[in-house]
Amino acid sequence: MADAAPYEIPTSVLETLAPSARRLVLNRRGSTVWDVETRHGRFAAKLGYPIKATSEWEGQEWTALAPGREGAILQHLNRKHVSYGDWEHGTWNVQPWHRGNSLYDLWQPHRAEGASPEPDLGEALSCAEAVAALHATGWAHGDIQPAHLIISHGGTALIDLALAQGGAIPAAYDFSYRGCLVHYESPEISRSVLETGTATPTLAADVYALGASLFISATGLRHVAYPDDAGRKDQRQAIVDGPHQPVNVHGVLGKLIEAMLSPDPADRPTSAEVCKELSSGR
Ligand SMILES: Nc1ncnc2c1ncn2[C@@H]1O[C@H](COP(=O)(O)OP(=O)(O)OP(=O)(O)O)[C@@H](O)[C@H]1O
Ligand SMILES: [Mg+2]
């Protein structure tokens, strides 16, 4: 259970949603997410606010804008039942809730001692299809990670499009991309963030992040080895310096992960090619 939320869902949003039940899902610095039941169905409600500077970390303004930016992107992609707006300390959005398990949770049995090392190719394919479907619209996700792939019998939902890039974003909600969770960051993105402070999300970097997501979910290993307590800069430098860890996954999936983690983006398969390989390997 997440810690108590620092802020409540804004009153105007609550009045529109009229929830019959709600559950706090996540409460991290700058972001709170609820799972909300209403008579029109189940929704995720996301609230963003600035991170105040402390002696341990820098202040951040972009977290306040993230739900608004994601809401604008979801509407641009014609996703149904999405709303977003401003509140006192930042932005919020409401979007349909996707039932299912994250890739990381679903593949937990493969990481257990003595477990079967061969994950289900159909589940990997379903994740790749979600990425390929976004890529077919011309958008890069920019923050692919195992928690953002929600798998169900009907397919996989790729959630959290707050950092996506590929079309016009209302200026009031936009902010520059400063990389993603380093456990899934490609060498070229890490290099750009180290050199300039920002980077540009690309389809090839998404493929790398999907490869790193499949790898960690199947084995428990990060794409590149670095100490747990290494600072963000040192982690990024380790990714730039490489090489990535040996891919100890067998068969079609192992070969594909190896190709997806190619240091040169031009050597990686596209998401559509990943789907093709996984379909023929089943
Ligand atoms: N539409 C959704 N359907 C199902 N679960 C969701 C949805 N949106 C968010 N969640 C759940 O809430 C968690 C956090 O959501 P999300 O990643 O969008 O927020 P965030 O503030 O960007 O968090 P993070 O910093 O972890 O990326 C997700 O990992 C997932 O468990
Ligand atoms: Mg997220």
Side-chain angles (χ1 to χ4, degrees), residues 143 145 148 160:
D143 193 14
Q145 47 177 281
H148 290 164
D160 196 357

Side-chain angles (χ1 to χ4, degrees), residues 87 134 153 167 174 183:
W87 68 291
L134 181 68
H153 291 300
D174 207 7
H183 305 335

Side-chain angles (χ1 to χ4, degrees), residues 82-224:
V82 173
S83 50
Y84 68 95
D86 303 302
W87 68 291
E88 202 186 337
H89 297 293
T91 63
W92 57 269
N93 78 48
V94 171
Q95 56 182 285
W97 181 267
H98 300 282
R99 289 169 196 273
N101 293 306
S102 75
L103 173 65
Y104 195 73
D105 289 348
L106 194 65
W107 283 10
Q108 196 282 327
H110 300 292
R111 301 189 300 273
E113 192 124 0
S116 139
E118 297 309 317
D120 187 292
L121 287 190
E123 289 162 359
L125 172 61
S126 157
C127 292
E129 282 172 343
V131 175
L134 181 68
H135 287 181
T137 69
W139 283 74
H141 184 278
D143 193 14
I144 291 181
Q145 47 177 281
H148 290 164
L149 293 156
I150 309 287
I151 303 171
S152 70
H153 291 300
T156 292
L158 177 56
I159 63 163
D160 196 357
L161 277 84
L163 304 183
Q165 199 140 317
I169 309 272
Y173 296 112
D174 207 7
F175 50 86
S176 61
Y177 181 72
R178 296 181 187 84
C180 57
L181 204 54
V182 285
H183 305 335
Y184 311 101
E185 204 166 85
S186 65
E188 71 276 12
I189 298 279
S190 288
R191 184 178 301 112
S192 173
V193 173
L194 284 175
E195 286 172 1
T196 68
T198 64
T200 303
T202 62
L203 309 191
D206 277 358
V207 168
Y208 187 98
L210 177 62
S213 298
L214 293 166
F215 183 50
I216 202 170
S217 302
T219 64
L221 297 171
R222 294 175 189 151
H223 58 132
V224 172

